[in-house]
Amino acid sequence: MKEHLPAIKINRSESTYLMWLDTRLLNLPMDQLQERLNHIGKVTIMDGRIYGGNGEYFLRLNVGCQKKNYLTA
């Protein structure tokens, strides 16, 4: 993330398989960011807004998935 997407900050967690990605520095509306992630990046990451609170500027990334979900042949 630091190398390829330095504007996205990772909130460190102590014991979970979920990562909260802070997207505020992108200055990009969440709808537009999701559109780009889905159509250009071919990835789907949960929009933090559905969790309420300060989720408006965050993505929730599940890093506890099976290898087949994140590796390509």
Side-chain angles (χ1 to χ4, degrees):
M1 291 291 288
K2 285 181 185 179
E3 181 181 339
H4 298 287
L5 298 167
I8 295 179
K9 304 300 178 195
I10 299 172
N11 284 0
R12 296 204 185 272
S13 61
E14 295 183 13
S15 60
T16 183
Y17 55 87
L18 300 173
M19 292 174 66
W20 287 95
L21 308 176
D22 184 341
T23 65
R24 284 179 280 199
L25 294 177
L26 294 175
N27 292 317
L28 194 62
M30 186 58 71
D31 293 334
Q32 197 173 49
L33 176 57
Q34 287 285 13
E35 180 74 18
R36 290 180 184 187
L37 286 169
N38 290 329
H39 290 62
I40 298 170
K42 305 293 186 211
V43 296
T44 301
I45 301 177
M46 293 298 297
D47 180 343
R49 293 181 292 188
I50 66 170
Y51 302 101
N54 295 331
E56 181 178 357
Y57 302 104
F58 289 85
L59 296 169
R60 188 187 82 157
L61 177 63
N62 182 339
V63 293
C65 61
Q66 298 176 355
K67 285 185 179 182
K68 69 178 184 175
N69 293 344
Y70 64 86
L71 292 179
T72 58

